[in-house]
Amino acid sequence: MVAVCPGSFDPVTYGHLDVIARARDLFGQVVVAVGRNSAKNSLFALEERVRLVESATAGWDGVRVAPLEGLLADFCARVGAGVVVKGLRFGSDFDYELQMAHINSAIGHIETVLLPAGPRWGTLSSTMVREVARNGGDVSGFVPPEAAERVRMVQAKEES
Ligand code: PNS
């Protein structure tokens, strides 16, 4: 069965990778859909966010990555997926994800499975990673090496 793990991945974190790996273990195949959240301004362009997820999941059996343009429900139809998997950290995630799950069910008959975030990554977010980096902190414990390097470079450029 094919599952889709959608998100903005700005940048991909170890929390995202934990959910992707667990979704693959549950469903066999995962397509990671890297999209734009219209409520957020992205640090990285879509192409770069796709590339960073690809690099972090290189060699993972049953996992591939694609840009998400347009509706998630249409993306799921194109890749033959009937289920979306997302991670849940706290109550505010639930409120948002429930709304998305209902919309995706109504427009595309897509089921949504919400996985509790792994305990190590229970409160980690890309927003926090960007904030730590913006203030000169080390993000290597939160994101894979290539993403950490790119966050450092972007921050250094912004400061110069
Ligand atoms: O990591 P995020 O910010 O939770 O990711 C949100 C994303 C990109 C998965 C979501 O905005 C999305 O599904 N966008 C595609 C457009 C869509 O189908 N929206 C829901 C119906 S209005």
Side-chain angles (χ1 to χ4, degrees):
M1 189 168 180
V2 183
V4 166
C5 286
S8 39
F9 304 102
D10 187 37
V12 61
T13 69
Y14 285 131
H16 294 132
L17 294 173
D18 177 61
V19 170
I20 293 165
R22 287 159 62 207
R24 190 271 321 272
D25 291 348
L26 283 170
F27 294 101
Q29 285 186 64
V30 164
V31 185
V32 183
V34 181
R36 292 188 180 88
N37 183 333
S38 51
K40 298 177 184 169
N41 283 325
S42 299
L43 178 64
F44 294 106
L46 180 67
E47 297 69 28
E48 174 140 41
R49 287 182 279 123
V50 169
R51 204 180 52 72
L52 291 174
V53 182
E54 278 173 344
S55 140
T57 58
W60 289 22
D61 283 344
V63 175
R64 63 190 175 90
V65 186
L68 163 60
E69 313 270 10
L71 285 176
L72 180 60
D74 293 339
F75 180 97
C76 289
R78 276 200 301 279
V79 301
V83 63
V84 160
V85 179
K86 286 210 80 176
L88 259 195
R89 293 162 303 182
F90 13 64
S92 54
D93 276 357
F94 181 74
D95 292 349
Y96 169 72
E97 296 302 346
L98 188 62
Q99 216 178 355
M100 296 299 261
H102 285 160
I103 286 282
N104 288 324
S105 167
I107 60 182
H109 305 288
I110 307 294
E111 289 290 1
T112 298
V113 170
L114 300 175
L115 291 183
R120 261 186 95 181
W121 316 115
T123 59
L124 179 58
S125 68
S126 299
T127 306
M128 284 298 156
V129 167
R130 294 195 302 272
E131 181 65 10
V132 170
R134 187 172 298 123
N135 290 285
D138 175 16
V139 297
S140 59
F142 308 125
V143 299
E146 196 176 336
E149 180 57 25
R150 283 298 296 138
V151 172
R152 262 194 299 272
M153 283 172 70
V154 169
Q155 291 312 143
K157 204 184 262 178
E158 277 186 6
E159 278 161 23
S160 64

